[in-house]
Amino acid sequence: MEINKSNSMRLIILLVFVSGLVQANAYYYRQCSTTGTRCNGQYIRCPAECPSSESYDPKAKVCLIDCDKPTCSAVCRHRKPNCNAPGSGCFDPRFIGGDGRVFYFHGKSNKHFSLVSDSNLQINARFIGHRPDGRTRDYTWIQALGVLFNSQSFSLEAIKTAQWNDQVDHLKFTYNENELVLDESSLSTWYSPKKDVKVERVASKNSVIVTIEDVAEILVNVVPVTKEDDTIHNYQVPSDDCFAHLEVQFRFFSLSPKVDGVLGRTYRLDFENPAKPGVAMPLVGGEDKYKTTSLLSSNCASCVFSQESSSEKEITKVAEFVTLDCTKFSDGMGIVCKK
């Protein structure tokens, strides 16, 4: 009997310890400490409907507190892509632009296209698919993303599989073209050496969030073409490939007025969407403008990214913070100083 009590006490201590670890990784409120912003010094608490910033339930909403926002508030959001929200690219493939308009860009199977091209950011997509007999174009899906930024590169892809299995992880990652391994457990996280790239699992398999500091956040989910999809759309999917592909949603932090790319151009203030409103499937072309030679290439006809300009922007940003004397400016003068 004593042994059972002893074991019970050890179990309780272990559970409390593990619970403490989980709570340490999450936050329920936050004190903003971004000097020079309206939020600095404020305590912001997560709302009751999403009281924590982390959850082991992939379908649950979590709390997001962004201390750089002028509203100084917390919001609830899902940690998987919302295919019906701006910045998303899902299905075969359907995009919702920064202007909120839906459009389709089919591209071509086994080709690469620039989704976003800016001075300090390039995001390409590899399309997969096939063309059944009698069709005039390929059915396509996004199979991989390649990202270039600050002289670095990152890629993720859905691994080809004949039959879909939810219990198998279908994601593969590289950083600077070297394969990286992310533990298959909920909330496991990988950081780049400079901590400017973060890859976090939302679930133990097939769902991640990729954050590039001050540049972008990418929510990714791997899904197959289901038998139901095949029946509805008559894809005629072969028996040896379920076309595992990506559902993605982007959030951008510092796009320039000259950003281009299939999706990126929709964030420009002067963008006029060529997709016809009221059409069931508003198609846009431009394959020749956006086609790149590889997943980690920026040599398309409309690409504006260059490693040199990206590196210069990073150096200039550091130099500004080093040389700017924040003590000489008062509040409200239009200059925000940050550590």
Side-chain angles (χ1 to χ4, degrees):
M1 196 68 177
E2 287 298 320
I3 295 176
N4 290 336
K5 287 183 179 180
S6 176
N7 288 339
S8 297
M9 287 300 297
R10 288 174 182 171
L11 178 60
I12 291 171
I13 293 171
L14 177 61
L15 289 174
V16 170
F17 176 71
V18 171
S19 176
L21 289 178
V22 172
Q23 292 182 7
N25 288 330
Y27 62 74
Y28 307 95
Y29 66 89
R30 173 171 289 179
Q31 181 183 24
C32 293
S33 57
T34 310
T35 305
T37 68
R38 185 184 301 175
C39 306
N40 185 39
Q42 291 195 28
Y43 283 91
I44 303 175
R45 184 171 294 278
C46 293
E49 57 266 33
C50 59
S52 174
S53 63
E54 294 183 350
S55 173
Y56 283 103
D57 180 1
K59 297 181 180 179
K61 287 186 177 181
V62 295
C63 174
L64 174 66
I65 296 175
D66 191 340
C67 289
D68 290 328
K69 296 295 183 185
T71 55
C72 305
S73 61
V75 297
C76 294
R77 64 163 187 171
H78 289 289
R79 307 187 76 221
K80 288 190 177 183
N82 181 352
C83 292
N84 296 310
S88 62
C90 304
F91 314 125
D92 59 344
R94 187 195 75 172
F95 294 91
I96 300 182
D99 58 354
R101 296 271 297 275
V102 175
F103 66 94
Y104 288 78
F105 177 83
H106 291 306
K108 293 183 179 179
S109 177
N110 300 315
K111 299 295 183 182
H112 304 88
F113 298 91
S114 166
L115 298 187
V116 179
S117 185
D118 206 355
S119 58
N120 68 327
L121 176 67
Q122 178 83 21
I123 302 177
N124 298 331
R126 179 190 299 130
F127 286 23
I128 56 169
H130 75 134
R131 183 181 301 188
D133 293 339
R135 293 286 301 176
T136 58
R137 66 165 181 83
D138 297 340
Y139 285 120
T140 54
W141 297 270
I142 297 174
Q143 181 265 338
L145 294 177
V147 186
L148 300 171
F149 60 98
N150 295 342
S151 301
Q152 302 173 72
S153 68
F154 176 85
S155 74
L156 61 87
E157 62 180 276
I159 300 170
K160 181 178 178 179
T161 182
Q163 302 296 325
W164 181 258
N165 184 349
D166 284 329
Q167 302 306 310
V168 175
D169 187 49
H170 298 84
L171 276 168
K172 179 180 178 181
F173 309 92
T174 72
Y175 174 71
N176 289 341
E177 301 189 60
N178 296 311
E179 186 170 349
L180 67 88
V181 178
L182 184 62
D183 290 342
E184 290 186 25
S185 59
S186 296
L187 307 182
S188 64
T189 304
W190 174 90
Y191 288 95
S192 63
K194 294 182 179 180
K195 302 288 187 179
D196 54 350
V197 184
K198 175 184 176 182
V199 186
E200 179 186 6
R201 286 197 187 273
V202 176
S204 62
K205 297 169 179 65
N206 299 316
S207 295
V208 295
I209 297 177
V210 179
T211 305
I212 302 170
E213 187 179 28
D214 298 328
V215 178
E217 179 186 72
I218 311 172
L219 281 66
V220 180
N221 203 30
V222 184
V223 295
V225 174
T226 65
K227 291 182 179 180
E228 183 181 5
D229 293 334
D230 194 12
T231 300
I232 293 173
H233 300 286
N234 192 29
Y235 290 136
Q236 301 179 43
V237 172
S239 60
D240 63 344
D241 194 347
C242 68
F243 291 109
H245 60 280
L246 306 179
E247 294 177 336
V248 298
Q249 185 182 10
F250 301 94
R251 188 162 70 112
F252 302 107
F253 305 127
S254 58
L255 294 178
S256 79
K258 294 185 178 181
V259 62
D260 213 321
V262 174
L263 180 64
R265 59 180 178 161
T266 67
Y267 286 83
R268 293 168 58 160
L269 294 177
D270 61 351
F271 175 69
E272 295 183 8
N273 201 316
K276 295 181 180 180
V279 178
M281 185 176 284
L283 296 174
V284 298
E287 284 85 353
D288 292 340
K289 290 176 59 179
Y290 304 119
K291 185 168 63 176
T292 66
T293 54
S294 69
L295 189 63
L296 295 173
S297 166
S298 60
N299 61 352
C300 73
S302 67
C303 289
V304 297
F305 175 85
S306 70
Q307 293 286 6
E308 290 77 15
S309 64
S310 179
S311 299
E312 287 173 4
K313 183 170 182 176
E314 184 180 26
I315 293 170
T316 302
K317 180 179 178 181
V318 173
E320 286 175 351
F321 291 140
V322 170
T323 59
L324 182 62
D325 185 356
C326 293
T327 63
K328 294 182 180 180
F329 299 95
S330 61
D331 291 339
M333 296 298 289
I335 296 177
V336 176
C337 296
K338 297 182 180 180
K339 292 182 180 179

